């Protein structure tokens, strides 16, 4: 479980996160939603430690990240996997080498075991053997996301972060990626945090949803609750499209 | 203020770079790749520039010092000392600052803006050490060889003037490049080249590592890397020359 307590973050006097507190449950797909510029990416990067927060606590199962020394932060990060918006695969390595990379850095196993583990992860995300030796630039965006997921789970992380996992993907591939993240979360009992403004994802896999508005946590609940909330900002954001207005009407 | 801030950030980055790698195996996998990319792939430009500069220097020295009072070996001597003292270390490094500096800054800068560096950090890898140390080590290792190679090829360029023209005889040229040879000049040149190699690779890596934004900003980082490493080369050239030759 990850618990965020009263965190603030400013950039050059611009107060981006204002006293945000939230709990990200273990074994669930936790979603941070909000409009562009609301501060959700800053929140995620702060939780991972890529941004140093001004105030507050970020507890990974009781371990407060801002108090840790850099060496301890590195140890903690070995328990973290991350799927970046643009996949962030290493250009100079093949698909298989990208997945082997974290194992080579930190796993104390033989080369054969590393290759076996990497193949297991790639098979788990439904990537065909013929693509293993291709460069990231030679595969599609959807396949790149799968490789990035395989790399993120290679070291069997306790915490998985996904920054806009569906950006740039068609609706069908988006759905597959969402389901893959959801399955992995359940199967390996991971604390997953997804940053998204894709309402299809929210309705599909969102179990614990946190709505960020103008740098503040405006709402937290489940996807079932979202239809019955009396929060104007949330309703304007979630039910912006005609389709979701109809869905809400049908639900209420 | 910017200079102070840059100097501080650069020092902090170097503190992260100049530590033992997390995995030596990964370092020794990167190191030969960097030797090839930064060193061997620079050989063609080193050869071309050194041959032509050696030849041009010989012609210009001969044509501008036409005086019966000057000994015939003076052209070879001036060419040799200019190559040894300045060209093959300082000027060559200024040229390589353009080639290698922009290469390093753009490579690392692109990794930064495509979040590959963030991905390394999230994995718990010391990204600065993993990405930058092999480049600095490889370039420092290769630079003395490039400098010695440049000296030899530059002197060869001057010799070709004697072979293909009647500006100078090969006998006079060969006598000149052997006359009053001071081996310390080679040592001085190699010391300078090692310092310049560190400056080029580390300054370029600094600008690439802290690049942000998009493609335009990576270009800006490359330009800053080349300009600032060139200025630092000139400054340290003055400093080292004063320390090593002014005795």
């Amino acid at each position: 479980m990850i618990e965020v307590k009263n965190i603030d973050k400013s950039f050059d006097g611009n107060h981006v996160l204002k006293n945000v507190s939230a709990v990200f449950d273990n074994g669930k797909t936790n979603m941070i939603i909000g409009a562009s510029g609301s501060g959700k990416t800053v929140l995620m990067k702060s939780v991972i430690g890529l941004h140093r927060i001004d105030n507050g606590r970020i507890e990974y199962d009781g371990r407060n990240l801002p108090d840790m020394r850099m060496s301890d932060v590195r140890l903690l990060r070995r328990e973290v996997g991350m799927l970046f918006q643009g996949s962030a695969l290493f250009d100079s390595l093949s698909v298989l080498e990208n997945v082997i990379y974290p194992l080579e850095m930190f796993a104390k196993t033989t080369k054969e075991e590393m290759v076996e583990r990497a193949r297991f992860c790639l098979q788990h995300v439904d990537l065909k053997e013929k693509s293993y030796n291709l460069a990231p630039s030679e595969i599609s965006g959807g396949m790149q996301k799968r490789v990035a997921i395989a790399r993120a789970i290679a070291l069997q992380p306790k915490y998985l972060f996904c920054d806009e996992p569906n950006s740039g993907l068609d609706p069908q591939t988006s759905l597959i990626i969402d389901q893959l993240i959801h399955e992995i979360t359940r199967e390996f009992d991971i604390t997953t945090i997804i940053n998204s403004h894709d309402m299809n994802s929210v309705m599909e896999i969102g179990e614990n949803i946190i709505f960020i508005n103008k740098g503040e946590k405006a709402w937290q609940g489940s996807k079932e609750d979202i239809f019955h909330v009396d929060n104007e900002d949330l309703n304007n954001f979630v039910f912006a499209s005609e389709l979701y207005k109809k869905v809400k009407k049908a639900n209420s | 203020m910017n200079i102070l801030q840059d100097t501080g950030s650069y020092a902090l980055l170097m503190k992260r770079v100049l530590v033992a790698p997390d995995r030596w195996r990964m370092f020794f996998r990167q190191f030969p790749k960097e030797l090839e990319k930064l060193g061997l792939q620079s050989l063609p430009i080193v050869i071309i520039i050194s041959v032509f500069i050696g030849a041009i220097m010989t012609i210009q020295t001969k044509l501008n010092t036409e005086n019966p009072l000057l000994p015939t070996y003076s052209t070879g001597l001036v060419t040799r000392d200019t190559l040894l003292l300045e060209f093959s270390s300082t000027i060559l490094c200024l040229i390589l600052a353009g080639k290698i500096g922009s290469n390093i800054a753009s490579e690392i800068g692109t990794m930064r803006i495509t979040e590959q560096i963030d991905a390394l950090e999230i994995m718990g890898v010391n990204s600065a050490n993993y990405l930058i140390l092999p480049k600095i080590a490889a370039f420092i290792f290769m630079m003395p060889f490039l400098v010695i190679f440049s000296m030899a090829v530059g002197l060869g360029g001057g010799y070709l003037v004697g072979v293909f023209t009647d500006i100078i005889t090969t006998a006079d040229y060969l006598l000149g490049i052997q006359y009053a040879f001071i081996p310390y000049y080679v040592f001085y040149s190699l010391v300078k080249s090692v310092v310049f190699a560190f400056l080029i690779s580390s300054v370029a890596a600094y600008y690439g590592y802290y690049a942000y934004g998009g493609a335009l900003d990576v270009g800006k980082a490359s330009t800053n890397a080349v300009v600032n490493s060139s200025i630092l080369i000139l400054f340290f050239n003055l400093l080292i020359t004063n320390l090593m030759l002014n005795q």
Side-chain angles (χ1 to χ4, degrees):
Chain A
M1 184 179 76
I2 299 173
E3 200 171 353
V4 168
K5 292 176 182 170
N6 310 106
I7 65 168
D8 287 285
K9 177 66 190 168
S10 302
F11 294 99
D12 299 325
N14 180 20
H15 209 164
V16 180
L17 292 179
K18 297 164 194 163
N19 198 32
V20 175
S21 296
V23 175
F24 301 101
D25 297 324
N26 190 29
K28 282 187 180 174
T29 44
N30 301 275
M31 300 199 84
I32 303 171
I33 61 169
S36 299
S38 59
K40 57 186 190 302
T41 300
V42 175
L43 174 60
M44 178 176 264
K45 290 196 170 178
S46 299
V47 174
I48 309 165
L50 289 176
H51 291 323
R52 186 172 278 275
I53 54 170
D54 304 333
N55 292 305
R57 293 176 69 82
I58 299 165
E59 292 180 359
Y60 282 74
D61 293 311
R63 296 167 289 175
N64 187 27
L65 179 70
D67 287 346
M68 287 183 188
R69 290 178 305 172
M70 198 58 207
S71 53
D72 294 328
V73 170
R74 287 217 187 93
L75 286 174
L76 173 71
R77 281 181 178 163
R78 288 172 201 175
E79 299 172 15
V80 171
M82 181 152 182
L83 171 61
F84 284 87
Q85 193 172 351
S87 300
L89 298 176
F90 304 128
D91 301 327
S92 56
L93 305 178
S94 70
V95 164
L96 186 66
E97 287 166 343
N98 260 283
V99 184
I100 292 175
Y101 179 84
L103 298 166
E104 281 190 312
M105 285 305 284
F106 302 115
K108 291 183 174 78
T109 52
T110 63
K111 181 78 184 171
E112 288 73 29
E113 286 168 329
M114 287 178 199
V115 174
E116 198 180 321
R117 171 73 189 158
R119 284 177 177 277
F120 168 80
C121 294
L122 285 166
Q123 280 159 8
H124 215 81
V125 297
D126 281 335
L127 263 176
K128 300 282 177 289
E129 180 108 21
K130 62 182 179 185
S131 61
Y132 290 4
N133 291 320
L134 297 176
S137 58
E138 294 173 311
I139 57 176
S140 68
M143 286 165 85
Q144 286 181 11
K145 295 274 183 186
R146 287 166 192 259
V147 179
I149 294 172
R151 184 178 68 180
I153 61 169
L155 279 173
Q156 296 170 296
K158 286 167 74 178
Y159 316 98
L160 178 66
F161 292 86
C162 307
D163 186 17
E164 309 268 4
N166 298 330
S167 71
L169 299 180
D170 62 81
Q172 203 177 5
T173 312
S174 296
L175 196 65
I176 293 168
I177 295 293
D178 282 342
Q179 283 167 350
L180 195 57
I181 293 169
H182 191 56
E183 280 168 24
I184 285 166
T185 303
R186 283 285 165 85
E187 193 178 339
F188 301 114
D189 198 28
I190 300 171
T191 303
T192 298
I193 302 177
I194 304 168
N195 187 356
S196 180
H197 46 54
D198 179 354
M199 290 319 299
N200 292 329
S201 288
V202 175
M203 293 306 170
E204 192 67 34
I205 59 168
E207 292 175 297
N208 177 29
I209 303 160
I210 291 153
F211 175 59
I212 301 291
N213 187 39
K214 294 172 188 163
E216 292 179 50
K217 189 182 88 174
W219 182 81
Q220 180 165 4
S222 69
K223 65 181 175 189
E224 288 79 22
D225 301 334
I226 220 163
F227 291 103
H228 314 290
V229 180
D230 197 19
N231 181 319
E232 197 184 339
D233 291 322
L234 178 67
N235 285 332
N236 287 342
F237 173 75
V238 175
F239 306 107
S241 71
E242 285 304 316
L243 176 68
Y244 279 105
K245 277 178 188 156
K246 283 177 187 167
V247 173
K248 182 175 182 170
K249 205 171 174 183
N251 264 278
S252 56
Chain B
M1 279 307 283
N2 270 347
I3 291 175
L4 284 177
Q5 197 176 340
D6 278 341
T7 310
S9 303
Y10 172 81
L12 288 173
L13 179 67
M14 286 305 114
K15 196 179 151 199
R16 289 183 61 204
V17 171
L18 302 173
V19 292
D22 291 330
R23 277 274 193 275
W24 281 103
R25 188 179 55 190
M26 300 298 267
F27 173 83
F28 285 116
R29 186 188 293 175
Q30 286 299 108
F31 186 69
K33 287 182 189 169
E34 300 296 345
L35 284 181
E36 201 251 329
K37 194 168 65 184
L38 303 180
L40 294 180
Q41 287 183 13
S42 299
L43 266 181
I45 194 163
V46 169
I47 292 171
I48 292 167
I49 292 169
S50 302
V51 166
F52 278 92
I53 293 291
I56 291 161
M57 213 181 293
T58 306
I59 295 169
Q60 289 203 354
T61 308
K62 183 68 184 171
L63 296 180
N64 286 295
T65 54
E66 285 286 2
N67 189 327
L69 294 175
L70 283 171
T72 53
Y73 59 74
S74 59
T75 301
L77 188 144
V78 170
T79 302
R80 181 201 70 202
D81 281 355
T82 312
L83 280 169
L84 259 57
L85 288 168
E86 278 307 303
F87 175 76
S88 292
S89 52
T90 312
I91 307 298
L92 185 75
C93 282
L94 283 171
I95 293 162
L96 289 179
K99 182 185 180 290
I100 303 296
S102 60
N103 176 299
I104 292 175
S106 57
E107 183 186 319
I108 296 177
T110 305
M111 289 189 78
R112 167 62 75 193
I113 64 162
T114 55
E115 296 181 309
Q116 292 177 51
I117 292 179
D118 286 343
L120 285 168
E121 286 291 324
I122 292 299
M123 285 176 201
V125 177
N126 178 350
S127 61
N129 174 272
Y130 173 73
L131 293 173
I132 302 172
L133 188 65
K135 292 185 193 302
I136 293 178
F139 199 41
I140 285 177
F141 182 83
M142 281 305 283
M143 189 54 107
F145 295 105
L146 290 176
V147 167
I148 289 170
F149 201 74
S150 165
M151 288 171 182
V153 173
L155 290 173
Y159 180 77
L160 291 176
V161 174
V163 173
F164 293 108
T165 70
D166 55 1
I167 295 171
I168 188 170
T169 66
T170 52
D172 284 347
Y173 181 76
L174 287 174
L175 175 65
I177 62 171
Q178 293 171 76
Y179 187 81
F181 173 63
I182 302 169
Y184 181 73
Y185 285 178
V186 177
F187 174 70
Y188 154 78
S189 202
L190 293 179
V191 169
K192 281 205 302 184
S193 71
V194 167
V195 174
F196 297 160
F198 176 78
L199 287 173
I200 293 168
S201 49
S202 62
V203 170
Y206 165 74
Y207 280 101
Y209 195 82
Y210 289 115
Y212 64 93
L216 208 64
D217 301 283
V218 174
K220 213 183 283 179
S222 293
T223 308
N224 284 338
V226 175
V227 170
N228 289 307
S229 55
S230 299
I231 292 168
L232 283 170
I233 285 172
L234 294 173
F235 175 74
F236 275 86
N237 187 31
L238 188 70
L239 196 74
I240 297 169
T241 303
N242 204 21
L243 281 172
M244 293 184 72
L245 293 186
N246 186 17
Q247 291 165 354

